[in-house]
Amino acid sequence: MTAEPWEEPAGGGEPRVLRLVDPPGAGSEETLQAIAQRFVQALVEIVEGDRSPGQLLRWTAPLVYEDLVSRMCARRRTSCSPRARLISVRVYHPFRGVAEVSAHVRHGTRSRALAVRMELFGGRWVCTAIDWD
């Protein structure tokens, strides 16, 4: 099988441009940034014990969800410990349907990094990996 040669459009009009289409549900950069921001905020609240991990069950892969539950159980917040606060979230697209999210979380005077990998499955962004520093 051979490919047809590229031909300029008749009549001297604009040349055809091959463009890749985002997968269904991918949304715009702003939409993904908002999704990542809300997701990471929810992660911080879960680890702090302010939110139930069940709220992210639909948005996480099974192993990621199990990690969240174990972290929540392991972290017992005391009344004198500082509250975690989300400082910033950045999103990078290594390729279509994949987003790598990095976040800066502050606990009092200490800072921590959080990395999240999200993949597009069935029109929905799902967290497939979390790396806590």
Side-chain angles (χ1 to χ4, degrees):
M1 178 190 276
T2 60
E4 293 295 318
W6 175 261
E7 295 179 19
E8 291 295 323
E14 291 292 316
R16 295 181 189 159
V17 177
L18 175 65
R19 79 183 164 90
L20 299 174
V21 179
D22 286 330
S28 67
E29 288 290 325
E30 295 81 24
T31 302
L32 180 55
Q33 180 70 33
I35 289 169
Q37 181 86 25
R38 286 193 308 267
F39 184 83
V40 172
Q41 181 65 46
L43 285 176
V44 170
E45 292 173 6
I46 287 168
V47 173
E48 285 291 305
D50 296 336
R51 182 187 286 241
S52 164
Q55 294 180 16
L56 289 183
L57 181 61
R58 179 172 194 248
W59 304 99
T60 55
L63 290 175
V64 172
Y65 181 75
E66 290 171 15
D67 181 54
L68 281 176
V69 171
S70 67
R71 282 182 179 277
M72 191 184 85
C73 292
R75 174 148 165 81
R76 297 286 182 227
R77 189 174 177 280
T78 63
S79 59
C80 63
S81 64
R83 308 278 313 158
R85 193 168 51 113
L86 183 60
I87 303 299
S88 66
V89 176
R90 304 271 190 256
V91 179
Y92 169 70
H93 292 282
F95 48 91
R96 291 193 184 282
V98 174
E100 293 179 351
V101 180
S102 60
H104 174 196
V105 179
R106 180 155 299 158
H107 295 269
T109 58
R110 292 191 56 184
S111 287
R112 296 187 71 190
L114 172 65
V116 174
R117 180 180 176 99
M118 300 182 85
E119 297 181 28
L120 198 58
F121 290 108
R124 186 181 66 208
W125 288 100
V126 176
C127 175
T128 56
I130 297 176
D131 187 13
W132 309 80
D133 182 28

